[in-house]
Amino acid sequence: MADKYRSIRGMADILPGEAKLWQRVEAAARRVFELYGFREIRVPLLEPTELFARSIGETTDIVEKEMYTFSVGTSGPYTLRPEATAGVVRSYIQHRLHLDPAARKLYTLGPMFRHERPQKGRYRQFHQVNAEMFGYPGPRADGELIVMLMSLLGELEVPDARLHLNTLGCPECRPDFKEELARFLKARAKELCKDCRRRAKSNPLRVFDCKKETCQAILKGAPTVLDMMCPGCRDHFEGVKSILEKAGIGYRLDPYLVRGLDYYTRTAFEVKTDMLGAQDALGGGGRYDLLVKELGGPSTPAVGFALGVERLILLLKKAVKEEAPGLSVYLALLGDDAWDAGFELARGLRREGIDCEVPLDARSLKSQLRYADKLGARYVFILGEEELSRGAGTLKEMATGLQEDVRVEDLVDFIKKRL
Ligand code: HAM
């Protein structure tokens, strides 16, 4: 039978069997970020379209063809956020967070929306964990941020993650580099695809986003910022590298790493894996020293990154066995009086932080035991009218099948000692 309604293409349900892994990733991100002094910020999913166009860049793939944009009546146009940085910066400016010393390191988790062609590891609704730092111009901030990113991946025991590092220059050296690149591309225009010929004129750095092998081959010989950076960018980059080296974090210099968003200056990085096929970027980020001012705020240097949660989960699933569902105690109850007593017992167990379930529909003992087994219960406490009259039920340990009598009033303490 065909389902009448299905989720929208590229937008997946996260089912209960998978949710534990999601919770693990999110909890680890919160824990690690807070260890570094980051505080949570939550911003709307919907922002004025203009905010994304201005920050991500008019001639990026995201803004040119991937945004979910709409108007309602005379309001709008609005866009479902394709990434979190623009909204966080908007909020930082709007609430004058530069005046709050406790708001210099911010993190946020949640869904993003990009109308890309769905495939493994690429979705139209996906989730990111983001970290952003404001007001730190020097390389120590980039260094600490990357160390934090790699320690989160370590904590999650991500089996394969490689750090790629580049610098994209600053207003001092980038124009020369752009000019040099444009010259290089112009000389090879005939060999480039139609899109790249257009990009070569409008925004030459964006040719590096092209996936076509013919263009990629040509770009192998392109000039890089590494060859042309100004002394300020060189010092900054050396500073970042030295922190990573001291922290024992390996990286690959990747002079053709440009990132798909226009707001970056200086440091740019990505974490890649060989285990996910074409969608190999687990996360990425970099410095964006001009964006706060560009969006109307005080001139404020910034650096941040985002990790794609779906890709992390895909990778973790390869490494860890799916966790079976689990429950500490199932109360198998027969008859109304036993149910009332069991319901009270369950409240007592939960007050002690012990997870348990009671039957919410009438079932035979046999089917209750079968159900408890499916839930992965460690203990089942059987209480019927006869047991109730003698004030003690039967506690069964499911793994061993061992049974013993336990008095009703002793059950909570008894289980507490056993778990
Ligand atoms: P981004 O590289 O566009 O950067 O995205 C970061 C990560 O989000 C990617 O490496 C990938 O893991 C995941 N991702 C992106 N698109 C998809 C998709 N369609 N399906 C599944 N996962 C996806 C940013 O978004 C920047 N805001 C990062 C940043 C923060 N830079 C500075 N601060």
Side-chain angles (χ1 to χ4, degrees):
M1 189 186 75
D3 301 319
K4 190 164 173 196
Y5 298 110
R6 296 184 62 85
S7 59
I8 295 171
R9 196 163 117 82
M11 303 203 179
D13 297 311
I14 298 154
L15 299 177
E18 227 181 36
K20 266 266 168 314
L21 206 46
W22 278 76
Q23 289 169 359
R24 210 184 114 212
V25 170
E26 290 165 359
R30 286 177 192 285
R31 193 169 53 245
V32 171
F33 292 170
E34 289 181 11
L35 281 176
Y36 282 78
F38 282 70
R39 294 167 75 212
E40 186 172 7
I41 183 168
R42 301 188 193 193
V43 295
L45 302 193
L46 215 54
E47 298 273 4
T49 303
E50 172 72 15
L51 174 71
F52 299 116
R54 274 295 285 282
S55 47
I56 299 168
E58 298 275 3
T59 52
T60 56
D61 281 359
I62 298 179
V63 172
E64 276 185 344
K65 48 190 186 204
E66 295 170 3
M67 299 209 298
Y68 283 88
T69 296
F70 59 91
S71 297
V72 182
T74 54
S75 311
Y78 303 125
T79 293
L80 273 171
R81 64 180 187 191
E83 57 112 49
T85 311
V88 172
V89 171
R90 196 258 319 124
S91 179
Y92 183 86
I93 298 168
Q94 182 175 335
H95 301 286
R96 310 203 182 293
L97 295 183
H98 63 282
L99 301 175
D100 178 0
R104 297 177 75 183
K105 295 175 170 180
L106 302 172
Y107 75 87
T108 194
L109 323 176
M112 312 292 151
F113 303 84
R114 294 184 193 175
H115 194 268
E116 295 191 79
R117 198 168 52 76
Q119 61 182 90
K120 186 174 143 224
R122 188 162 73 195
Y123 310 97
R124 290 179 172 173
Q125 174 175 321
F126 61 97
H127 297 72
Q128 287 183 344
V129 300
N130 278 263
E132 317 285 354
M133 278 170 146
F134 295 96
Y136 301 98
R140 287 182 182 162
D142 316 39
E144 183 176 72
L145 189 83
I146 298 175
V147 169
M148 176 172 85
L149 163 63
M150 298 314 281
S151 83
L152 172 56
L153 296 175
E155 170 119 342
L156 286 168
E157 295 176 44
V158 168
D160 171 59
R162 211 167 354 91
L163 176 65
H164 287 233
L165 189 67
N166 192 20
T167 176
L168 297 173
C170 69
E172 206 173 302
C173 51
R174 179 108 57 110
D176 290 347
F177 163 66
K178 265 192 174 168
E179 209 173 289
E180 186 73 21
L181 180 62
R183 206 172 308 137
F184 173 89
L185 295 172
K186 198 167 166 203
R188 289 156 187 81
K190 283 208 191 81
E191 302 152 67
L192 294 170
C193 73
K194 206 169 107 234
D195 271 350
C196 280
R197 279 205 296 275
R198 185 174 55 81
R199 290 172 177 139
K201 288 191 189 132
S202 59
N203 190 352
L205 238 73
R206 294 273 67 92
V207 295
F208 291 100
D209 296 341
C210 186
K211 299 279 182 292
K212 297 203 177 68
E213 269 175 32
T214 43
C215 294
Q216 282 300 327
I218 294 166
L219 293 172
K220 287 268 182 295
T224 70
V225 178
L226 284 183
D227 306 325
M228 307 186 58
M229 61 187 153
C230 63
C233 285
R234 188 172 301 279
D235 283 351
H236 189 92
F237 199 48
E238 289 306 318
V240 177
K241 289 195 296 187
S242 126
I243 291 173
L244 296 180
E245 279 151 27
K246 279 185 204 139
I249 291 178
Y251 60 85
R252 264 188 215 178
L253 276 189
D254 186 345
Y256 296 114
L257 174 76
V258 294
R259 312 274 302 120
L261 308 94
D262 277 352
Y263 48 59
Y264 295 108
T265 47
R266 294 194 164 163
T267 318
F269 54 89
E270 264 174 21
V271 177
K272 298 193 182 196
T273 176
D274 288 327
M275 290 172 72
L276 290 183
Q279 303 312 314
D280 62 351
L282 288 176
R287 189 161 267 286
Y288 50 99
D289 288 345
L290 309 177
L291 186 61
V292 179
K293 180 135 190 265
E294 171 81 19
L295 295 181
S299 178
T300 309
V303 56
F305 71 80
L307 280 167
V309 180
E310 280 79 0
R311 293 185 192 173
L312 278 178
I313 301 267
L314 279 171
L315 208 52
L316 292 176
K317 271 192 181 160
K318 289 182 194 265
V320 289
K321 247 180 58 215
E322 199 150 312
E323 260 180 63
L327 182 72
S328 296
V329 186
Y330 185 84
L331 295 143
L333 308 171
L334 289 164
D336 288 344
D337 292 340
W339 196 86
D340 288 348
F343 192 66
E344 252 335 279
L345 271 176
R347 299 208 318 151
L349 285 166
R350 290 171 185 146
R351 270 196 293 274
E352 292 296 332
I354 299 167
D355 55 311
C356 60
E357 284 203 40
V358 294
L360 297 175
D361 43 8
R363 287 168 183 233
S364 68
L365 180 61
K366 200 167 151 206
S367 82
Q368 288 191 43
L369 290 177
R370 211 178 309 127
Y371 182 59
D373 196 42
K374 283 202 183 122
L375 292 179
R378 278 180 69 186
Y379 290 98
V380 176
F381 187 60
I382 302 164
L383 197 63
E385 301 299 323
E386 186 269 324
E387 286 88 352
L388 195 60
S389 66
R390 46 184 183 88
T394 308
L395 186 70
K396 179 172 177 185
E397 186 178 27
M398 297 298 270
T400 57
L402 286 178
Q403 301 201 10
E404 55 197 308
D405 266 13
V406 177
R407 296 199 59 75
V408 172
E409 67 262 30
D410 296 339
L411 182 76
V412 175
D413 281 342
F414 194 92
I415 299 258
K416 238 167 83 180
K417 283 194 197 105
R418 286 289 182 89
L419 288 175

